[in-house]
Amino acid sequence: MSGTRTLVSPLTLARPRGRAVYWTVFTGVVLLFTLAFLFPVYWMATGAMKSPDEVTRTPPTLVPDQWHVSGYTDAWDLMDLPTHLWNTVVQATGAWILQLVFCTAAAYALSRLRPAFGKVILGGILATLMVPAQALVVPKYLTVADLPLIHTSLLNDPLGIWLPAVANAFNLYLLKRFFDQLPRDVLEAAEIDGAGRLRTLWSIVLPMSRPVLGVVSIFALVAVWQDFLWPLMVFSDTDKQPISVALVQLSQNIPLTVLIAAMVIASIPMVAMFLVFQRHIIAGISAGSTKG
C-alpha cells in the first residue's frame, strides 16, 4: 500500500501550530501572487488618471494626487477609439468564425473520416509550427497583395486578416486530439441509427465538443486582437486599422496619460471575455487533457 507523499505531512497538519503555519504561508503566497498579477493592472488604470507631470515623477506615486478622468474621455475622442475598436471586432469575429468552421471540419475529417495519406497531411500541417512566424510574413503578404488565380488584392480588406487566420495548425491539432478521445460507442450508435457524417458532426460531435471549441475560440480571438505586425502590413488606411496598430500610429503628439488610458480601454474587451468565459476555458483545458 503506497501512501501519498506531500510537502507537509498529515501529522503536522493535525497539530494546531502546524495548521496555523500552513495557512499563514498559504495565504501569504496567494496574496503575493495576486499582488504580482493585479498591481500592473492597477498601475496602468490609475496612471491614466494622473496629470502628465505626475505620471513621469520620480519617485512615482502609488495613488494619484488628483484624480483626472479626462484622460479616458480624451483618449476616446482624440484617438477615435470607437472606429478602431469596431475594426478590431470585425476582423476578430470574421477570423474566429472562419477558423472555427474550417479547422473543425478539417480536424473531424482527419480524426473520424480517416482519408488516404491522412497522417502525412497531418504531419505536414504540424510541420508548419516549426517555421517561425516572421519567416511567413513576406510570402503571406505577396499572396494577399496579389491573390493567385483571381489576381485580386486583399490589402485594406478584412479578408486579408480572415483568410490567413484560417490556417492555424495548433488549433486544428487541438480539435483533432479532442475528437480522437470522443467515446466511440456514441458515434457508432449514431451511425447505427442512420446518421450520416455531417449529421453526426452537427448533432453529436459539436455538442460534446463545446469545451474545446470555447478554448479554440479564445485562442482565435486573442490572436487577432493582439496581433500587430500583420495588420500593420495589411491596412495602410488609418481608418481601417485595428486598435493594436492605431495605438502606435496615433501615439505621436499624444500625452502619455491619454495613451495609457487608450491602452486600458483596448484591454477591457479581452479581460471581460476572460472573466465571462473563464469556466469554459478551464473546462476546455481539463477536457483536452482527459482521455475519454
Side-chain angles (χ1 to χ4, degrees):
M1 181 177 180
S2 60
T4 303
R5 304 185 66 178
T6 59
L7 185 62
V8 182
S9 66
L11 182 60
T12 303
L13 289 177
R15 301 170 183 170
R17 183 178 178 182
R19 287 198 301 269
V21 173
Y22 171 79
W23 284 111
T24 300
V25 174
F26 178 78
T27 305
V29 171
V30 170
L31 291 176
L32 183 62
F33 273 90
T34 303
L35 181 64
F37 282 101
L38 293 183
F39 182 75
V41 179
Y42 166 81
W43 187 260
M44 184 172 62
T46 57
M49 298 184 181
K50 298 177 181 179
S51 63
D53 295 333
E54 184 182 1
V55 77
T56 57
R57 183 187 303 174
T58 304
T61 57
L62 291 177
V63 180
D65 294 337
Q66 291 183 349
W67 298 83
H68 301 277
V69 190
S70 58
Y72 289 98
T73 57
D74 291 343
W76 188 262
D77 297 329
L78 294 178
M79 304 189 74
D80 196 15
L81 292 186
T83 299
H84 298 295
L85 283 172
W86 175 248
N87 294 339
T88 310
V89 169
V90 171
Q91 296 166 24
T93 303
W96 163 61
I97 293 175
L98 291 178
Q99 188 175 140
L100 212 59
V101 171
F102 286 98
C103 284
T104 301
Y108 180 71
L110 292 173
S111 175
R112 293 300 172 182
L113 303 186
R114 304 190 182 280
F117 307 106
K119 292 184 178 180
V120 177
I121 296 173
L122 180 62
I125 293 173
L126 295 180
T128 61
L129 294 175
M130 307 297 177
V131 182
Q134 294 80 3
L136 300 176
V137 170
V138 174
K140 281 201 306 183
Y141 181 81
L142 295 177
T143 302
V144 168
D146 185 14
L147 206 61
L149 299 179
I150 60 177
H151 300 289
T152 300
S153 175
L154 299 181
L155 299 179
N156 290 315
D157 192 310
L159 285 172
I161 301 294
W162 296 348
L163 296 184
V166 172
N168 191 300
F170 178 77
N171 286 345
L172 188 150
Y173 180 72
L174 190 65
L175 287 165
K176 180 188 178 301
R177 288 294 301 165
F178 187 88
F179 293 159
D180 289 341
Q181 297 171 5
L182 291 178
R184 186 178 300 273
D185 53 351
V186 175
L187 302 179
E188 291 177 351
E191 185 178 354
I192 293 175
D193 290 340
R197 298 293 187 180
L198 290 179
R199 181 62 184 271
T200 301
L201 173 64
W202 181 260
S203 301
I204 305 297
V205 175
L206 291 183
M208 296 176 63
S209 305
R210 282 182 294 182
V212 73
L213 291 177
V215 174
V216 170
S217 299
I218 296 296
F219 288 163
L221 290 172
V222 171
V224 176
W225 197 278
Q226 69 180 6
D227 195 11
F228 171 76
L229 180 59
W230 182 242
L232 177 64
M233 299 179 66
V234 172
F235 294 101
S236 58
D237 188 352
T238 306
D239 294 334
K240 296 182 179 180
Q241 291 176 344
I243 190 68
S244 59
V245 178
L247 288 178
V248 177
Q249 298 289 79
L250 302 177
S251 61
Q252 299 178 358
N253 301 323
I254 293 292
L256 182 58
T257 54
V258 176
L259 181 59
I260 296 175
M263 293 179 180
V264 173
I265 296 174
S267 63
I268 288 176
M270 289 293 100
V271 174
M273 183 176 66
F274 172 78
L275 294 177
V276 172
F277 297 104
Q278 59 178 329
R279 291 176 56 189
H280 300 279
I281 298 173
I282 297 173
I285 295 175
S286 302
S289 61
T290 303
K291 186 173 182 179

